[in-house]
Amino acid sequence: MWWDSLIIFVVTFGLFTLSAILWPTDRQWYASLNKPSWTPPAKWFGIVWTVLYALIAAAVTIVYDRTDSFQDVSAHWLIALAVNYAFNQAFNYVEFKAKNLFAGFVDTLLVAVTACWLLIETAAYSRLAAWLLVPYLLWASFATLLAWMIFLLNRDEAEAY
């Protein structure tokens, strides 16, 4: 039924936004960091992640619909989703609560790697769902480079934490 799909979408979207609620961005601390000149404005991050979480939720919903309520989904797909979710959720904690820029970089790298893995696993169920994950992979890859540069530019201050 269509409401099952709606519930899957809403639950997935809600779960992916959870870390922003539990460990919100420390805007003052983030603003104080040295950043490369090509860093997007801080307000873009919330917008981009909201759109990406909606795309992830849509992809998960499509897989749900194509696999008879996840009954025919592979363990590989479930593990890829769970591992990606865990790394995705860890970022706000390590970056904004623990203020560990190196761990933030490593976590972002793992988000990008597992986003690629999730995209590959998703393609077995739906090309459309896989394509919906491409912006996530691209943004996670960009975020990895940005996190590395922020770590390098703030290495001395980061060691003080």
Side-chain angles (χ1 to χ4, degrees):
M1 298 288 179
W2 67 269
W3 58 80
D4 292 348
S5 296
L6 179 61
I7 290 169
I8 292 297
F9 179 89
V10 170
V11 168
T12 303
F13 183 84
L15 287 172
F16 269 87
T17 61
L18 187 61
S19 69
I21 296 165
L22 294 175
W23 304 291
T25 301
D26 184 338
R27 294 182 193 282
Q28 186 175 8
W29 175 75
Y30 183 76
S32 74
L33 295 173
N34 297 316
K35 293 178 267 319
S37 61
W38 44 267
T39 302
K43 63 183 174 186
W44 285 17
F45 288 91
I47 295 166
V48 168
W49 281 111
T50 299
V51 170
L52 293 175
Y53 291 157
L55 293 173
I56 294 166
V60 169
T61 302
I62 290 168
V63 171
Y64 172 83
D65 289 340
R66 296 270 172 97
T67 60
D68 194 25
S69 306
F70 295 132
Q71 291 181 31
D72 298 325
V73 75
S74 72
H76 294 280
W77 184 84
L78 285 173
I79 293 167
L81 178 62
V83 171
N84 176 263
Y85 173 78
F87 287 129
N88 185 293
Q89 294 302 287
F91 178 78
N92 270 35
Y93 178 80
V94 298
E95 185 81 6
F96 298 115
K97 179 76 172 163
K99 294 180 173 50
N100 187 326
L101 295 175
F102 183 74
F105 156 69
V106 171
D107 183 76
T108 306
L109 175 62
L110 292 170
V111 169
V113 168
T114 59
C116 183
W117 178 27
L118 179 61
L119 188 154
I120 291 166
E121 293 294 334
T122 299
Y125 300 100
S126 166
R127 282 184 164 180
L128 173 60
W131 277 106
L132 291 175
L133 295 174
V134 169
Y136 179 40
L137 174 59
L138 293 174
W139 183 261
S141 299
F142 169 78
T144 300
L145 178 59
L146 180 60
W148 176 247
M149 293 304 300
I150 290 173
F151 167 71
L152 290 178
L153 292 170
N154 295 278
R155 193 174 358 199
D156 294 335
E157 291 84 2
E159 291 172 0
Y161 285 98

